[in-house]
Amino acid sequence: MRIFNKFYPVEISDSAYKIDYQKYYDEGYRGILFDIDNTLVPHGAPADNKAIKLFKKLREIGFDTCLISNNKDPRVKPFAEKVGSRYICNAHKPSRKNYNRAFKLMNTEKENTLFVGDQLFTDVYGANRVGMHTILTKPINPKEEIQIVLKRYLEKIVLLTYRK
């Protein structure tokens, strides 16, 4: 349904850890924006070895990264420091403002920056609004806050039409 197009990701991946980032670098992408909670780690969890290794690998490939989160600084800053990434907290996703701010921080443009996140109505919708390549990941952990659980039901409806 055309009404849902603005929520459709360009791609869907089982995990942020299963994406072939080298392929995207070879295609000319130079920056990656990531959501944190349920994209890289379970909600509220600190950066783990898996996340630290991923960001090290991304730097080795040549990517710049920026975490973009609706969480506050005490959640986002320690995570960003541990993985070695730029970050924007209180991003007010799906507002375009901080996606555009992230391009400036990384010295990239929407055309050569990827977005990786687990929620349609904040992550993907916001990135689509600025014209980025979006990759929706499956949530890492099914345990979520009630407001997110409710959004997941609506996401299922949208994703049913995406698959058709």
Side-chain angles (χ1 to χ4, degrees):
M1 290 172 96
R2 298 185 84 189
I3 193 168
F4 293 139
N5 285 354
K6 58 188 160 204
F7 300 109
Y8 293 156
V10 175
E11 297 177 55
I12 296 177
S13 176
D14 285 340
S15 167
Y17 299 98
K18 293 185 178 180
I19 295 169
D20 182 354
Y21 294 104
Q22 183 65 55
K23 175 187 87 145
Y24 289 106
Y25 190 84
D26 293 345
E27 291 174 4
Y29 289 93
R30 295 298 180 259
I32 307 172
L33 301 182
F34 284 97
D35 176 54
I36 299 171
D37 288 321
N38 255 347
T39 299
L40 295 169
V41 293
H43 189 81
D48 58 14
N49 284 337
K50 195 172 182 180
I52 293 165
K53 285 179 187 173
L54 172 63
F55 280 77
K56 182 178 187 275
K57 176 185 166 192
L58 294 172
R59 282 189 298 277
E60 288 169 356
I61 290 171
F63 280 109
D64 199 348
T65 60
C66 185
L67 302 171
I68 182 167
S69 175
N70 286 345
N71 278 300
K72 296 186 178 7
D73 197 64
R75 164 72 179 126
V76 182
K77 183 179 180 180
F79 193 99
E81 288 174 346
K82 206 160 184 191
V83 299
S85 180
R86 301 172 195 280
Y87 73 95
I88 296 171
C89 57
N90 290 324
H92 302 286
K93 295 180 290 184
S95 170
R96 293 181 195 107
K97 179 182 175 185
N98 285 306
Y99 290 88
N100 289 317
R101 185 172 153 219
F103 302 146
K104 286 184 178 125
L105 285 174
M106 296 187 299
N107 198 28
T108 62
E109 315 238 344
K110 66 182 180 183
E111 295 84 6
N112 68 350
T113 307
L114 300 170
F115 180 85
V116 180
D118 71 299
Q119 290 191 52
L120 285 181
F121 300 125
T122 52
D123 299 332
V124 172
Y125 177 50
N128 281 344
R129 291 179 73 209
V130 296
M132 297 178 68
H133 186 101
T134 54
I135 303 173
L136 176 70
T137 63
K138 293 181 180 172
I140 289 176
N141 189 335
K143 279 194 161 221
E144 298 180 294
E145 297 171 351
I146 188 66
Q147 71 271 18
I148 296 173
V149 171
L150 296 173
K151 282 196 274 184
R152 295 286 184 206
Y153 288 114
L154 295 172
E155 286 181 354
K156 285 179 186 176
I157 294 167
V158 173
L159 288 173
L160 280 173
T161 65
Y162 174 77
R163 290 185 180 97
K164 290 178 183 178

